[in-house]
Amino acid sequence: MDRILIVVDMQSDFVDGALGTKEAQEAACLAASKIERFPGRIIATLDTHGQDYLDTAEGKKLPVVHCVKGTAGWELHEKIQQALAGKSYQTIEKDTFGSVRLAQELLEAWQKEPFEAELIGLCTDICVVSNALLLKAYLPQMRIVVDAGCCAGVTPKTHQAALETMKMCQIEVV
């Protein structure tokens, strides 16, 4: 059975930029290694905001400008870019935590030929969990795996809470 690797928001602002953490930097190193070894289809999501971010519903609750399209912080982190060099991959921009477009595209692909999906990325407790749960809702029969070592949350505590939530929703955490 084919596998798809979904790299969630491994962007500079989440690794070592505006919202970066030590844990995210460690996860980016492990994620880059996984990407280099991964033989199948890869999709990378990009958290994408505009200059008006602080005026959005999200910006009012998280008033830290990040991932503004076209800025260095919006780009995939350099370690991730290096790992993807020479590989065929797709990017999907998303303006909120979970990507309905990603779920719909994978649903269409699944109907042609079933596959497994593995998620890695940032932040475990916001965008990774949102995308994993959307995929589970759209594709309840698909095996969905999250590699905890290639993820990091806003804090270690919320990272663990998100992993437990995903486990409870029948998403495999490794």
Side-chain angles (χ1 to χ4, degrees), residues 58-115:
E58 179 183 328
K60 290 176 183 171
K61 295 205 184 281
L62 176 64
V64 178
V65 176
H66 65 281
C67 296
V68 174
K69 187 172 182 170
T71 65
W74 176 75
E75 299 290 333
L76 290 170
H77 189 266
E78 63 183 331
K79 289 180 181 176
I80 303 304
Q81 287 184 35
Q82 290 168 0
L84 288 167
K87 290 188 172 275
S88 176
Y89 68 96
Q90 170 188 3
T91 58
I92 293 179
E93 294 179 19
K94 58 185 195 51
D95 63 358
T96 190
F97 307 135
S99 175
V100 171
R101 179 178 160 209
L102 171 66
Q104 290 171 333
E105 283 189 21
L106 293 184
L107 176 61
E108 289 175 22
W110 170 271
Q111 291 169 338
K112 294 175 187 163
E113 186 170 336
F115 53 88

Side-chain angles (χ1 to χ4, degrees), residues 79-172:
K79 289 180 181 176
I80 303 304
Q81 287 184 35
Q82 290 168 0
L84 288 167
K87 290 188 172 275
S88 176
Y89 68 96
Q90 170 188 3
T91 58
I92 293 179
E93 294 179 19
K94 58 185 195 51
D95 63 358
T96 190
F97 307 135
S99 175
V100 171
R101 179 178 160 209
L102 171 66
Q104 290 171 333
E105 283 189 21
L106 293 184
L107 176 61
E108 289 175 22
W110 170 271
Q111 291 169 338
K112 294 175 187 163
E113 186 170 336
F115 53 88
E116 298 176 353
E118 181 172 358
L119 287 82
I120 60 176
L122 306 169
C123 294
T124 319
D125 44 350
I126 301 173
C127 294
V128 175
V129 68
S130 295
N131 282 287
L133 292 174
L134 267 173
L135 291 177
K136 194 64 173 171
Y138 272 75
L139 295 147
Q141 300 307 315
M142 180 173 68
R143 179 175 181 238
I144 301 170
V145 176
V146 172
D147 185 334
C150 294
C151 296
V154 174
T155 69
K157 183 178 178 180
T158 57
H159 167 76
Q160 285 302 320
L163 295 174
E164 290 303 315
T165 296
M166 289 185 277
K167 286 179 190 176
M168 293 303 297
C169 293
Q170 301 177 358
I171 293 164
E172 187 177 335

